[in-house]
């Protein structure tokens, strides 16, 4: 089939590579988000999908909106059989959905109908799901509600960050997307409606949502930090300045490491050599890497040696 691939971030690269390598399909163009400013210099950067497409000599379309008349006219002229989508990052109007004869098929990183929306992997980690996966489905106007072609499952490991889990799902999902398109071309694969039960939503996690609440149980703190790693990045405050947090470790027997640490109040800090413990509503957690505002990433031990927390200092 003639394909126009829609995607933007690094996550979309394994599926795009799988389709570029497929002997059965031809990726004739990609659709991606416009170049965006990022970094300290706020320089314009091309999306990872655009970079890969340009290196492969493929046309790149960067509409500000997928309903722009110029974009729709170009898509009609390309005349794709199908448009596979992976983390494109923009809404598709009906005028765009109607152009390819086999529609737009999305690779979504959850077991639909669970976690429809922008941040399915982050919410799966945050809520302690033991299993997640990826699904291919036909895009319809309603959010992630179209009929499903196929799924793959993936165990969520106890120490998984959302970034690590998403990387595995992207690789597994690449094969699923390629197989789905094979079945659609053959006419051997039929999409089935999603069940009405089990629907949940995964809205984007903002920076304000990523603030650690030390009055919550240790398990909740652990899940929040892992869910927000690497984006948007979990954080807390120390002496009025923001402190970015890397993954933490649960320490039920904290007093064996630092005498008396089992009785730490929420946000209270205990330091022993390179170990930094912080109190929660249940038992303490051990900090991993941290990044003070305006400074480099460092171990919690390095940070503590620099700031020398006092007895009345608290995080949060």
């Amino acid at each position: 089939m003639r394909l126009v691939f829609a995607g933007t971030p690094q996550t979309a690269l394994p599926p795009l590579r799988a389709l570029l390598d497929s002997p059965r399909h031809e990726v004739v163009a990609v659709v991606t988000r416009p170049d965006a400013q990022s970094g300290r210099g706020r320089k314009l950067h091309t999306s990872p999908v655009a970079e890969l497409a340009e290196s492969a000599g493929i046309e790149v379309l960067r509409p500000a909106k997928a309903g722009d008349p110029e974009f729709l006219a170009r898509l009609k002229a390309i005349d794709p059989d199908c448009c596979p989508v992976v983390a494109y990052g923009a809404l598709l109007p009906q005028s765009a959905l109607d152009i390819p004869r086999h529609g737009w098929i999305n690779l979504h990183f959850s077991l639909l109908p669970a976690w429809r929306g922008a941040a399915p992997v982050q919410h799966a980690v945050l809520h302690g799901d033991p299993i997640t996966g990826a699904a291919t489905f036909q895009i319809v106007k309603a959010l992630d509600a179209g009929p499903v072609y196929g799924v793959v499952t993936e165990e969520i490991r106890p120490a998984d960050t959302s970034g690590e889990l998403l990387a595995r799902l992207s690789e597994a999902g690449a094969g699923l997307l390629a197989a789905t398109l094979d079945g659609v071309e053959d006419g051997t694969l039929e999409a089935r409606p999603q069940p009405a039960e089990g629907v949940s939503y995964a809205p984007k996690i903002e920076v304000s949502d990523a603030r650690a609440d030390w009055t919550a149980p240790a398990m909740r703190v652990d899940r929040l930090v892992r869910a927000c790693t690497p984006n948007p990045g979990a954080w807390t405050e120390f002496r009025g300045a923001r402190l970015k947090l890397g993954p933490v470790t649960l320490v039920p027997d904290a007093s064996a490491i630092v005498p008396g640490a089992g009785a730490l109040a929420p946000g209270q800090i205990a330091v022993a050599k390179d170990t930094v413990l912080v109190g929660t509503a249940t038992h303490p957690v051990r900090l991993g890497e941290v990044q003070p505002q305006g400074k480099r990433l460092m171990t919690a031990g390095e940070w503590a040696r620099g700031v020398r927390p006092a007895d009345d200092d608290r995080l949060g």
Side-chain angles (χ1 to χ4, degrees):
M1 289 194 292
R2 284 172 57 83
L3 305 177
V4 171
F5 181 94
T8 299
Q10 192 82 17
T11 303
L13 296 187
L16 176 54
R17 290 192 185 100
L19 297 180
L20 290 172
D21 293 340
S22 172
R24 300 189 52 173
H25 308 293
E26 179 188 9
V27 181
V28 294
V30 303
V31 183
T32 192
R33 300 293 293 148
D35 295 352
Q37 292 181 330
S38 64
R40 290 187 178 181
R42 305 304 294 168
K43 295 181 180 179
L44 279 176
H45 291 274
T46 299
S47 77
V49 163
E51 289 182 356
L52 178 56
E54 288 170 347
S55 69
I58 295 171
E59 181 178 359
V60 178
L61 306 175
R62 297 180 176 89
K65 293 183 179 180
D68 289 350
E70 290 184 1
F71 166 68
L72 295 176
R74 181 57 190 147
L75 190 61
K76 288 180 181 177
I78 293 173
D79 191 27
D81 296 308
C82 186
C83 294
V85 184
V86 184
Y88 171 46
L91 295 176
L92 297 166
Q94 195 62 47
S95 54
L97 296 179
D98 291 339
I99 292 176
R101 55 185 56 86
H102 290 295
W104 298 64
I105 295 177
N106 191 27
L107 173 63
H108 182 76
F109 298 113
S110 81
L111 297 175
L112 293 170
W115 303 129
R116 296 175 180 175
V121 175
Q122 290 167 311
H123 281 271
V125 173
L126 180 62
H127 289 81
D129 292 359
I131 298 289
T132 188
T136 49
F137 72 95
Q138 189 84 37
I139 294 181
V140 297
K141 191 171 183 179
L143 177 66
D144 297 337
V148 172
Y149 286 102
V151 300
V152 291
T153 59
E154 179 71 28
E155 179 185 1
I156 301 180
R157 301 167 187 169
D160 268 340
T161 64
S162 62
E164 292 164 344
L165 179 56
L166 185 57
R168 297 203 306 274
L169 289 171
S170 178
E171 294 290 345
L176 173 64
L177 181 60
T180 296
L181 295 175
D182 291 347
V184 169
E185 182 182 38
D186 294 340
T188 57
L189 190 59
E190 180 181 353
R192 298 186 177 184
Q194 296 183 32
E197 302 78 23
V199 176
S200 56
Y201 292 94
K204 181 180 178 181
I205 295 181
E206 305 288 352
V207 172
S208 58
D209 303 320
R211 183 176 186 172
D213 177 9
W214 303 105
T215 66
M219 183 176 291
R220 175 70 179 180
V221 174
D222 167 56
R223 289 175 180 174
L224 173 75
V225 176
R226 289 189 292 110
C228 295
T229 302
N231 294 310
W235 60 280
T236 187
E237 287 184 333
F238 179 73
R239 296 176 182 168
R242 186 169 294 191
L243 181 69
K244 189 173 181 180
L245 302 171
V248 301
T249 304
L250 300 176
V251 189
D253 56 345
S255 292
I257 301 173
V258 180
L264 290 176
Q268 187 177 2
I269 305 165
V271 180
K273 295 185 179 179
D274 289 331
T275 297
V276 181
L277 303 178
V278 182
T280 72
T282 52
H283 56 75
V285 297
R286 179 166 50 210
L287 298 186
E289 291 185 319
V290 300
Q291 186 172 11
Q293 193 168 333
K295 297 185 178 180
R296 64 175 177 84
L297 190 68
M298 62 186 70
T299 67
E302 290 178 290
W303 168 77
R305 285 193 293 273
V307 299
R308 297 184 179 180
D311 290 342
D312 58 349
D313 277 327
R314 296 286 188 276
L315 292 184

